[in-house]
Amino acid sequence: AQPQLLVGKTITITAGPTREALDPVRFISNHSSGKMGYALAQAALLLGAQVNLISGPVTITAPAGVNLIKIESAEQLLEQALIFAPHSDAFIGCAAVADYRAAAVAEQKMKKQGDELTVTLVKNPDVIAAVANLTDGRPYTVGFAAETQNVASYAKGKLTNKNLDMICANDVSQNGLGFNSDHNALTLFWHNEQKELTIDTKSALALSVMTELAKRL
Ligand code: C5P
């Protein structure tokens, strides 16, 4: 049994990819498996928290006992995040939110055309930045940063620019780590502190992240 460090706390976690529709049958997405976010949800439950898990489409099963909110697009994710975040003690953004969506979603299936097709994309809202900038009920806000280079400096940049309290950075250029893998390695950054979590299963890392978070709530 785990020490019940999060009893009485509500944690909202975003997980998985988003899907940005192009037409009724097509979308833009990414390879996020949702494993890290789901592991965080499981860890928060084990420490006694109430957990809202706002999830994009994934193939894994949500831990029993979470409040699962299914979304597809970044805009749907934002809407749900803004509903749950103000009632949460902490908000963890683990979702791989698509940075862009189609400027216009075709009402009918797009027909095959010439050799080239141009789709105009527009920027999606930054969900975690919106949560971190709430003036009423702002939760302790934790981001993730997947980087292939300059991990520490990019992560610290996001901590500051997005107004986060904590960021968990991973180097996704390392083979077998991060995206889709069951393993990961993370460096946690706060504004005046950092902590290295070496390679481990996502469940073990998630428990360490939650334990660090619990100390700060
Ligand atoms: O800027 P970047 O996408 O690398 O930042 C990653 C962090 O920001 C993650 O916590 C991710 O969940 C969050 N994010 C978000 N909304 C976006 C893009 C990223 O919440 N549109």
Side-chain angles (χ1 to χ4, degrees), residues 140-216:
Y140 189 92
T141 309
V142 182
F144 269 74
E147 307 293 349
T148 56
Q149 56 174 345
N150 305 329
V151 178
S153 63
Y154 285 144
K156 284 193 244 175
K158 286 174 191 179
L159 180 69
T160 303
N161 294 336
K162 293 180 193 256
N163 192 31
L164 309 178
D165 298 297
M166 169 178 166
I167 195 159
C168 312
N170 59 326
D171 183 346
V172 290
S173 69
Q174 291 185 60
N175 245 335
L177 295 187
F179 272 79
N180 246 310
S181 167
D182 288 321
H183 291 78
N184 210 349
L186 293 173
T187 310
L188 313 185
F189 295 94
W190 295 267
H191 291 281
N192 298 310
E193 214 183 325
Q194 71 182 69
K195 181 165 185 159
E196 208 77 42
L197 303 178
T198 50
I199 297 182
D200 212 329
T201 60
K202 287 183 176 177
S203 339
L205 287 168
L207 264 180
S208 302
V209 169
M210 278 304 156
T211 304
E212 290 299 325
L213 172 60
K215 289 185 204 167
R216 290 162 173 90

Side-chain angles (χ1 to χ4, degrees), residues 14 93-95 97-99 124-128 143-145 147 158 162:
T14 73
C94 204
V97 185
D99 290 324
N124 264 330
D126 191 317
V127 177
I128 204 164
F144 269 74
E147 307 293 349
K158 286 174 191 179
K162 293 180 193 256

Side-chain angles (χ1 to χ4, degrees), residues 52-85:
N52 302 309
L53 178 59
I54 311 176
S55 178
V58 295
T59 58
I60 55 177
T61 308
V66 300
N67 175 31
L68 178 67
I69 303 108
K70 294 184 182 178
I71 56 87
E72 292 209 342
S73 67
E75 289 178 302
Q76 291 167 355
L77 176 60
L78 177 65
E79 186 184 340
Q80 295 304 316
L82 293 178
I83 291 172
F84 288 97

